[in-house]
Amino acid sequence: MKKKVSSDASSAGRPSTRKSQPRSSSAAAPSPADKAINFRVRVARERRARMRARLLSATMDVCAVATSQGPAVIDDVIRAAKVSRGTFYKHFDSLEQALVELGAKLADETVDGLRTMFEKVDDPLHRTASGPQLMMIHAIVDPIWGRFVAHTDHLTSESAFISAIRENTIVGRERGIFRYSSLEAAIDLQFGSTREGVRHMITARADRTGYMQDLCAMNLMALGVTPKRAVAAVRSASDDIMLRGPTSLTWWKPF
């Protein structure tokens, strides 16, 4: 019996007469003109980001010394950034808008640094003993940052930084480590004493370590921690910071 040869098999050796389906437009490679447009858009976006960062840096510089020379104004910022007034207004509607964005940026950066340090630390006591020390050390190695934090209120709003303090303080009470009636008072205590510590570090030269450890221990005792436990927690946190800070924090410098 002869085998029936399928039409597919019989046509295997012949060129296909079937027309190929056109590729979808989404799969088509971008034209040279499209590439040029995309490149210009990317360059413009990067240039805008650099200018915005430059204006924020100038804002921090002038506001860090504003208390001794009067309130900062837009003219101070554009002079420090070496740009025109029109350039400033292309990015910000007012100096206050720039300050709000700068405060949020610093808050986010501070929280990112704390998260890096405490990623594997599930201990509210250790975090509270470490946080103010890290802020004060940051002020020592970057006095301009420290003066901005100490002399403006733009880090005290409901920022990521305040949220991190709030969360840690609540967890500490839930675990029986902290004792307080008013959560807002506990948060204000921690941030207020930390900001005063930052202010002190800008000008202090003697016994910085002793000051930092005493301030942090007093913080813990005010939150209901026993003196012995508070002192031990602060010393342990200090040792941990000196061990891991240089490799964990982007802003770290020897001090």
Side-chain angles (χ1 to χ4, degrees):
M1 180 184 292
K2 292 184 179 180
K3 292 183 179 180
K4 184 178 179 181
V5 180
S6 68
S7 59
D8 289 342
S10 62
S11 61
R14 297 198 304 270
S16 174
T17 59
R18 193 179 294 173
K19 290 183 179 181
S20 61
Q21 295 296 323
R23 293 183 180 180
S24 64
S25 58
S26 61
S31 67
D34 290 337
K35 288 182 178 179
I37 292 173
N38 291 338
F39 175 76
R40 288 197 296 271
V41 169
R42 186 173 70 254
V43 169
R45 187 183 300 119
E46 292 172 352
R47 185 183 296 118
R48 180 176 177 81
R50 287 196 299 270
M51 177 53 69
R52 201 174 185 90
R54 180 174 169 182
L55 290 169
L56 289 177
S57 178
T59 299
M60 184 162 70
D61 289 347
V62 300
C63 289
V65 297
T67 53
S68 60
Q69 300 178 1
V73 295
I74 290 177
D75 285 343
D76 297 324
V77 176
I78 62 177
R79 190 180 304 113
K82 298 180 180 178
V83 299
S84 67
R85 180 178 289 270
T87 297
F88 179 89
Y89 281 113
K90 284 181 181 178
H91 295 269
F92 301 104
D93 295 334
S94 63
L95 180 58
E96 179 63 21
Q97 185 186 39
L99 284 168
V100 169
E101 181 168 325
L102 178 59
K105 179 175 179 289
L106 293 180
D108 290 344
E109 290 174 350
T110 299
V111 171
D112 286 344
L114 295 175
R115 283 175 177 161
T116 298
M117 285 288 292
F118 305 137
E119 183 178 6
K120 298 181 180 179
V121 177
D122 184 26
D123 182 0
L125 179 63
H126 184 83
R127 290 177 178 176
T128 305
S130 302
Q133 293 189 70
L134 285 168
M135 293 283 283
M136 286 184 273
I137 292 170
H138 198 164
I140 294 172
V141 303
D142 188 352
I144 292 177
W145 178 93
R147 283 193 289 270
F148 180 85
V149 170
H151 295 152
T152 71
D153 293 326
H154 289 86
L155 204 64
T156 62
S157 61
E158 284 302 312
S159 64
F161 181 58
I162 297 298
S163 296
I165 294 177
R166 180 185 302 277
E167 180 182 351
N168 190 66
T169 304
I170 291 172
V171 173
R173 182 170 63 178
E174 290 174 347
R175 296 184 184 179
I177 299 170
F178 302 145
R179 295 191 301 275
Y180 57 84
S181 298
S182 169
L183 175 60
E184 296 307 317
I187 293 171
D188 288 347
L189 164 75
Q190 293 173 76
F191 186 81
S193 62
T194 299
R195 189 163 68 165
E196 286 304 311
V198 166
R199 194 194 309 273
H200 181 82
M201 289 298 145
I202 295 169
T203 56
R205 293 293 179 270
D207 195 24
R208 284 169 162 171
T209 300
Y211 177 94
M212 281 192 284
Q213 293 191 2
D214 279 355
L215 185 67
C216 291
M218 292 175 188
N219 242 347
L220 293 177
M221 285 186 276
L223 290 170
V225 181
T226 63
K228 184 177 180 179
R229 190 180 184 188
V231 170
V234 169
R235 289 177 178 172
S236 175
S238 178
D239 291 341
D240 182 56
I241 289 170
M242 297 306 296
L243 177 65
R244 298 192 297 122
T247 58
S248 300
L249 302 169
T250 57
W251 52 261
W252 186 276
K253 295 177 184 177
F255 66 96

